Amino acid sequence: MTAMSIGHTLLALLEAGPRHGYDLKRTFDDHFGQDRPLHYGQVYSTMSRLLKNGLVEVDGIEAGGGPERKRYAITDAGITDVDAWLGTPEKPEPYLQSTLYTKVVLALLTRRDANRILDTQRAEHLRLMRQLTRRKSSGDLADQLICDHALFHLEADLRWLEMAAARLERLAKEIHP
């Protein structure tokens, strides 16, 4: 989850009420972790940072059979921070220097078959699109929404792959006049 702020996500989950780290992880994984579950260590290190920054507070400590369990609650400063984060638009990613683009140009520079690179990538995109379409058809509405997001991005990539294939000969001539 490179683009997702784990701290802000955990803070927002605390708005429903105080929770233990275990409950936060389980709720996170239920909503966002199908493809990349959150590790317990990341939950507790994030909660320590949020506590240090005054965005959460310890609402209670329970003794049990193992280590003490802290219950965290969001502070007013934490709610303000979540509001600001939710209200800030995400920077659109222009993909101006993608690895795939680099591979195509390098293939041309080294006189390799760039079409083969595009064909291999197209096959991988189509494989993933089939997988996401199956997942979407059996998923709940939230899963359908995230699958649609990924599918739309893959469709845009496929359009680029087709356009690049159509321009390869001309690009090769520009690289090797």
Side-chain angles (χ1 to χ4, degrees):
M1 305 222 138
T2 55
M4 179 187 289
S5 167
I6 301 300
H8 286 111
T9 304
L10 295 177
L11 276 174
L13 292 175
L14 282 173
E15 285 196 44
R19 297 176 190 224
H20 297 97
Y22 174 82
D23 297 328
L24 284 168
K25 180 204 175 340
R26 191 180 65 228
T27 303
F28 179 97
D29 287 351
D30 286 347
H31 292 286
F32 311 108
Q34 181 170 344
D35 299 306
R36 194 168 176 188
L38 194 58
H39 296 285
Y40 284 106
Q42 192 171 9
V43 172
Y44 294 111
S45 64
T46 301
M47 296 312 295
S48 289
R49 183 177 42 81
L50 295 173
L51 185 63
K52 185 177 91 173
N53 293 336
L55 302 176
V56 299
E57 60 192 9
V58 175
D59 186 58
I61 298 176
E62 299 171 8
E68 292 180 334
R69 294 179 48 178
K70 292 179 185 175
R71 188 174 55 245
Y72 298 96
I74 192 168
T75 63
D76 289 341
I79 292 170
T80 300
D81 199 57
V82 170
D83 281 341
W85 178 67
L86 290 173
T88 303
E90 292 298 309
K91 180 183 176 209
E93 293 296 327
Y95 301 109
L96 291 177
Q97 287 294 326
S98 74
T99 304
L100 181 56
Y101 166 80
T102 302
K103 286 181 174 184
V104 169
V105 171
L106 288 173
L108 293 172
L109 284 169
T110 59
R111 300 187 189 280
R112 287 183 170 88
D113 185 1
N115 272 311
R116 188 171 57 100
I117 291 169
L118 294 173
D119 289 343
T120 301
Q121 191 63 49
R122 187 179 302 104
E124 182 61 16
H125 270 62
L126 292 171
R127 183 198 63 75
L128 182 55
M129 290 176 83
R130 285 189 297 273
Q131 180 183 347
L132 288 167
T133 300
R134 282 191 301 274
R135 176 176 160 184
K136 179 182 164 182
S137 68
S138 62
D140 61 14
L141 189 55
D143 210 33
Q144 291 171 18
L145 189 62
I146 193 64
C147 286
D148 280 339
H149 186 262
L151 285 165
F152 291 148
H153 281 274
L154 290 168
E155 287 173 5
D157 287 350
L158 282 175
R159 286 194 312 270
W160 181 85
L161 288 167
E162 294 305 319
M163 184 190 65
R167 295 179 178 172
L168 274 183
E169 187 176 325
R170 196 169 111 213
L171 183 57
K173 287 179 183 173
E174 288 183 13
I175 289 175
H176 298 288

